[in-house]
């Protein structure tokens, strides 16, 4: 049984060497990656062997803690026939002053690809600049593109399509919001984001998303009113109010976001068959009540599972 066509199997979807942000990935390529992810997922479910990365090694640099990113990339490489190597930022020489450029060039001598989960986005860009092998952004303070790909895959599987659906994000205008906004805009979804004043997403990301939404007949709304955001929504999405590195702001954020909780009163304004999504980890009874995240409309674990499949598509496309 042939798994993927020649264009996919030779890594011909993405034109660039790296996957750092969705800002430079076209809508056509996003949809092609989703199709590849579904084919690879089906292959696994059928119990068929598919090991295009046999003999390949992915180095995984973690400067931020992780559950889903680490496990999904490591398992993904294993199932694709390759090997994943965990590299703690605290234990690498990069944590003791070695330059990113030196690290990138050294790792390029040993590995076939690098995934990095870190803080400043320019660290990922510099790593990709000096590495001769593909670099995947596993998360930065600016972007979380791997999460957004898994989100799209989940919505597509549950709702049957993407074009024309409304997705409402309620919470901080953070890295998850940035990538999700771009993903929605590039696939013709209507995107609304509700956040308190002062917690809006970056202006340049909003501008780019608006331009992409216009091309794909979608819309984009940024508001301070969570009811406006979730009105007639097909998808409601939330994230923690205090991300890693923001712990000192926790008490202030809890006060600022207290009226942005996803609860039974708020979701009444969405469509009856809405789905609830969260990138996890979740703080139950803060950004979302247990009733909602553990309820019948929640797809958060389906969504988490799709990190594996969406990232497999990236690994195959970039590393074959």
């Amino acid at each position: 049984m042939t798994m993927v066509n020649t264009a996919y199997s030779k890594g011909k979807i993405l034109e660039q060497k790296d996957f750092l942000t969705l800002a430079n990935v076209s809508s056509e390529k996003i949809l092609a990656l989703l199709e590849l992810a579904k084919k690879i997922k089906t292959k696994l479910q059928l119990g068929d062997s598919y090991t295009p990365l046999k003999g390949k090694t992915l180095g995984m640099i973690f400067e931020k803690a992780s559950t889903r990113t680490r496990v999904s990339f490591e398992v993904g490489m294993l199932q694709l026939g390759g090997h994943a190597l965990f590299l703690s930022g605290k234990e690498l020489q990069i944590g003791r002053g070695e330059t990113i450029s030196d690290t990138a060039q050294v790792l390029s001598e040993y590995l076939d690809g690098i995934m990095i989960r870190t803080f400043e986005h320019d660290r990922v860009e510099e790593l990709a600049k000096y590495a001769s092998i593909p670099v995947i952004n596993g998360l930065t303070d600016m972007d979380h593109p791997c999460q957004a790909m898994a989100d799209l895959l989940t919505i597509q599987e549950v709702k049957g399509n993407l074009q024309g659906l409304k997705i409402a994000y309620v919470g901080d205008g953070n890295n998850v919001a940035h990538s999700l906004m771009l993903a929605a805009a590039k696939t013709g979804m209507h995107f609304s984001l509700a956040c308190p004043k002062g917690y809006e997403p970056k202006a340049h990301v909003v501008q780019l998303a608006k331009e992409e939404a216009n091309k794909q007949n979608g819309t984009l709304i940024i508001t301070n009113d969570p009811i406006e955001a979730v009105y007639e929504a097909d998808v409601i999405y939330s994230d923690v109010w205090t991300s890693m590195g923001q712990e000192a702001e926790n008490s202030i954020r809890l006060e600022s976001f207290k009226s942005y909780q996803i609860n039974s009163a708020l979701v009444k304004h969405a469509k009856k068959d809405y789905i609830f999504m969260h990138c996890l980890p979740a703080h139950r009874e803060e950004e979302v009540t247990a009733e909602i995240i553990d309820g019948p409309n929640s797809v958060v674990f389906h969504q988490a599972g799709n990190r594996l499949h969406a990232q497999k598509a990236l690994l195959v496309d970039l590393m074959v």
Side-chain angles (χ1 to χ4, degrees):
M1 176 181 175
T2 302
M3 176 50 215
V4 291
N5 65 34
T6 303
Y8 290 154
S9 64
K10 292 186 178 180
K12 298 296 184 181
I13 298 176
L14 294 173
E15 296 172 352
Q16 61 269 31
K17 173 178 71 71
D18 312 297
F19 184 75
L20 309 184
T21 175
L22 289 177
N24 61 358
V25 182
S26 70
S27 58
E28 294 79 11
K29 294 185 185 301
I30 289 174
L31 293 174
L33 285 168
L34 293 176
E35 285 303 306
L36 177 56
K38 285 187 283 188
K39 290 177 180 178
I40 295 175
K41 183 176 181 177
T42 298
K43 188 80 168 174
L44 176 67
Q45 291 171 336
L46 292 174
D48 295 333
S49 176
Y50 180 58
T51 56
L53 298 186
K54 186 176 182 180
K56 299 289 181 76
T57 301
L58 175 74
M60 307 187 304
I61 301 174
F62 286 92
E63 296 183 320
K64 274 190 174 184
S66 169
T67 296
R68 281 148 291 277
T69 299
R70 178 177 178 179
V71 176
S72 57
F73 269 108
E74 193 161 340
V75 172
M77 282 298 294
L78 176 65
Q79 292 180 350
L80 292 169
H83 177 72
L85 187 64
F86 176 78
L87 304 169
S88 170
K90 294 179 180 179
E91 295 173 0
L92 291 174
Q93 294 297 337
I94 196 172
R96 299 178 63 246
E98 184 174 50
T99 64
I100 294 175
S101 60
D102 283 357
T103 299
Q105 292 176 80
V106 168
L107 293 181
S108 296
E109 296 291 324
Y110 306 139
L111 305 169
D112 301 287
I114 301 170
M115 187 285 299
I116 180 170
R117 182 177 170 93
T118 188
F119 293 88
E120 299 86 358
H121 190 76
D122 58 7
R123 291 177 68 79
V124 174
E125 293 179 334
E126 187 175 1
L127 186 71
K129 177 181 177 180
Y130 289 99
S132 60
I133 55 178
V135 173
I136 297 173
N137 176 7
L139 176 141
T140 66
D141 290 342
M142 179 61 66
D143 278 288
H144 199 354
C146 291
Q147 178 67 57
M149 291 301 297
D151 297 340
L152 291 180
L153 180 60
T154 305
I155 296 168
Q156 202 174 55
E157 288 179 337
V158 176
K159 290 293 186 180
N161 66 297
L162 297 171
Q163 185 86 30
L165 294 180
K166 178 179 178 179
I167 179 167
Y169 178 98
V170 180
D172 190 18
N174 59 14
N175 49 4
V176 172
H178 290 156
S179 292
L180 187 65
M181 185 189 311
L182 288 172
K186 286 173 178 276
T187 54
M189 300 179 73
H190 303 293
F191 185 86
S192 59
L193 184 150
C195 63
K197 289 182 180 179
Y199 293 95
E200 292 85 0
K202 299 293 185 183
H204 73 275
V205 180
V206 174
Q207 181 58 38
L208 177 58
K210 284 183 176 179
E211 293 171 2
E212 293 293 338
N214 288 336
K215 294 177 186 177
Q216 302 298 329
N217 298 315
T219 56
L220 190 149
I221 297 172
I222 307 296
T223 179
N224 301 124
D225 183 355
I227 293 177
E228 178 187 2
V230 305
Y231 179 73
E232 288 295 289
D234 299 283
V235 181
I236 298 176
Y237 199 114
S238 185
D239 189 11
V240 293
W241 294 338
T242 304
S243 298
M244 284 178 286
Q246 299 173 334
E247 289 79 7
E249 306 171 25
N250 187 56
S251 60
I252 297 174
R253 284 175 169 269
L254 288 177
E255 180 63 25
S256 298
F257 284 92
K258 64 183 180 181
S259 62
Y260 291 81
Q261 184 186 73
I262 309 299
N263 52 39
S264 59
L266 184 61
V267 301
K268 287 179 180 178
H269 298 280
K271 291 181 180 177
K272 289 184 178 180
D273 64 344
Y274 82 93
I275 59 173
F276 175 73
M277 303 181 74
H278 193 299
C279 57
L280 301 179
H283 294 164
R284 285 167 167 78
E285 307 307 327
E286 286 187 14
E287 74 272 9
V288 59
T289 62
E291 177 185 10
I292 298 300
I293 194 171
D294 297 323
N297 295 76
S298 177
V299 297
V300 297
F301 299 114
H302 180 171
Q303 175 189 3
N306 273 336
R307 287 289 302 276
L308 173 65
H309 309 295
Q311 288 161 190
K312 277 186 175 181
L314 290 170
L315 292 168
V316 170
D317 190 62
L318 292 171
M319 292 177 62
V320 168

